[in-house]
């Protein structure tokens, strides 16, 4: 039950006590009789993107408040609320009064949907600024749209209208420069802006409308005359699921863009009986931004990766179309003029050729927050700075760790290289030693032959003689023996 209805019940009992006995307690209950699952599903369907909410059987789950959640809380209210004269504020419950409850919730919690249109010539770089704004003010999965993305989403719905739209888009692909009829474009964009996400969270619409007529068709609605009842919208056949089959008659007819009637002096006077139009406040943007840029700069951005036409011919065509609709020399109103005239909106002008992305984004923040800061459960500036500092610290730590790892890896490589070098040096020295030994052995070979031929035989006989006699002074006897046989040694010397 709504808290205002609780307060009204207390006031009713206090100001005018009921005739019936109400007991010791006051029971405030609305007349919705909804279950918890129906309330949750209703909130999701009315505020967020309609998605079936899964219901888990109680026997298959274990939660702390399992028993409490299974209580039947549907009760009979106290007698004053059963009266026909009770001043209800939300008699039929939260789901039936979701628009009212959501408006109150947003008001008292200072929640504001951000609704913005950003326009500019092709290649002006608006997608970068729009994405930064959406990330800043619209949480995850932000409602940031272009006309092309809206068309793509509409063709994926699987409805009769989606099937027709696919055929029209396919036919237009063979005729560059042609557009979908204005009525079709308006219907597609209005449907997107009237979605729950855009109504409650807001949107950033990039690159559309591109002309005064598109803005006029999109954001104006006819005001019913006094006493005239609003006509309820009939169910659209295009929203029915497409099941294939035979083509409907007339589906192949080409819808042509209606030409604007030429103005004449008689038409300049206002017709008192002409229908009046007013701004659709539910979908009209609160902020409008127009970016300006020279064609050469736009072309350069496209070459560097910005979104834009895919070839030179398409770029020139779209640039000429934008200039004709927004930079006319004959004084005819452009797209920005519509918002300043019809909605009284101050249009922010940014020259992106002479403004950096950071400065442009700062200008957008000042413009958006000129009517008050956005709470919207967004991160505070302190939290953002703290997270940014933490992110910078983590990046620096990761950089330091990477540098340390690189140094360790370099040291390991250097150690490995040193070991390999030492091993090679050791192997080289071993080879040199082996070569020196071989060389020495080669050089010693003639000397050995000389000793074996001239010294070893006499010396061996002298040693054998000493071994037989074993004298007291073997050295002296060996010397005498060698002296006695010296002539034998000289006689065997080779001739030089």
């Amino acid at each position: 039950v709504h808290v205002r209805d609780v307060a009204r019940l207390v006031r009713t009992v206090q100001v005018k006590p009921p005739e019936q006995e109400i007991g010791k307690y006051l029971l405030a209950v609305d007349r919705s009789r909804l279950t918890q699952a129906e309330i949750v599903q209703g909130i999701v369907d009315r505020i967020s993107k309609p998605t079936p909410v899964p219901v888990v059987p109680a026997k298959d789950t274990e939660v702390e408040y399992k028993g409490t959640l299974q209580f039947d809380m549907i009760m009979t209210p106290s007698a004053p609320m059963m009266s026909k004269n009770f001043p209800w504020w939300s008699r039929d419950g939260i789901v039936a009064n979701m628009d009212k409850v959501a408006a109150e919730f947003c008001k008292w919690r200072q929640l504001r949907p951000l609704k913005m249109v950003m326009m500019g010539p092709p290649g002006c770089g608006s997608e970068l600024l729009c994405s930064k704004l959406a990330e800043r003010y619209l949480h995850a999965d932000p409602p940031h749209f272009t006309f092309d993305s809206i068309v793509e989403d509409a063709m994926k719905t699987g409805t009769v209208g989606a099937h027709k739209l696919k055929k029209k888009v396919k036919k237009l692909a063979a005729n560059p420069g042609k557009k979908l009829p204005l009525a079709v474009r308006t219907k597609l964009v209005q449907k997107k802006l009237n979605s729950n996400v855009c109504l409650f969270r807001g949107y950033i619409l990039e690159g559309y409308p591109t002309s005064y007529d598109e803005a006029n068709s999109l954001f104006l609605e006819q005001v019913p005359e006094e006493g005239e009842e609003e006509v309820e919208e009939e169910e659209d056949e295009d929203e029915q699921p497409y099941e294939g089959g035979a083509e409907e008659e007339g589906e192949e007819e080409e819808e042509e863009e209606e030409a604007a009637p030429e103005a004449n002096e008689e038409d300049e006077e206002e017709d008192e009986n002409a229908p009046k139009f007013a701004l659709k406040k539910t979908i009209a943007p609160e902020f409008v931004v127009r970016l300006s840029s020279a064609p050469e700069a736009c072309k350069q951005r496209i070459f560097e990766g910005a979104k834009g036409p895919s070839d030179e011919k398409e770029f020139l065509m779209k640039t000429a179309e934008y200039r004709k609709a927004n930079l006319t020399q004959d004084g005819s109103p452009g797209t920005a003029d519509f918002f300043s005239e019809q909605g009284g909106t101050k249009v922010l002008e940014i020259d992106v050729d002479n403004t950096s992305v950071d400065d442009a984004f700062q200008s957008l923040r000042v413009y958006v927050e000129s009517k008050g800061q956005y709470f919207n459960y967004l991160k505070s500036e302190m939290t953002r700075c703290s997270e940014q500092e933490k992110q910078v610290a983590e990046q620096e730590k990761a950089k330091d760790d990477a540098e340390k790892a690189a140094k360790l890896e370099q040291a390991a490589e250097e150690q490995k290289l040193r070991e390999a070098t030492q091993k090679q040096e050791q192997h080289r020295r071993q080879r040199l030693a082996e070569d020196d030994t071989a060389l020495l052995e080669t050089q010693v070979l003639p000397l050995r032959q000389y000793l074996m031929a001239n010294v070893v035989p006499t010396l061996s006989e002298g040693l054998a003689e000493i071994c037989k006699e074993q004298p007291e002074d073997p050295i002296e006897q060996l010397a005498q023996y060698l002296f006695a046989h010296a002539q034998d040694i000289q006689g065997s010397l080779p001739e030089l």
Side-chain angles (χ1 to χ4, degrees), residues 68-82:
T68 304
L69 293 173
Q70 296 183 77
F71 286 160
D72 185 358
M73 301 298 292
I74 298 179
M75 303 179 183
T76 302
S78 297
M81 300 190 82
M82 300 292 290

Side-chain angles (χ1 to χ4, degrees), residues 6 34 52 221 362 411 456 473:
V6 177
L34 298 176
E221 61 182 349
Q362 186 63 27
V456 173
D473 190 358

Side-chain angles (χ1 to χ4, degrees), residues 458 476-490:
T458 303
E476 180 66 22
Q477 187 168 348
L478 178 62
Q480 293 177 1
Y481 181 85
L482 292 177
F483 182 77
H485 293 82
Q487 298 300 325
D488 298 338
I489 296 174
Q490 292 178 358

Side-chain angles (χ1 to χ4, degrees), residues 345-358:
T345 304
K346 178 183 176 182
V347 179
L348 177 64
E349 303 277 354
I350 299 179
D351 182 2
V352 292
D353 292 348
N354 300 312
T355 308
S356 66
V357 175
D358 292 337

Side-chain angles (χ1 to χ4, degrees), residues 140-158:
D141 190 19
H144 166 206
F145 310 111
T146 62
F147 180 74
D148 291 339
S149 68
I150 292 175
V151 173
E152 291 176 3
D153 292 342
M155 291 192 295
K156 296 176 182 178
T157 57

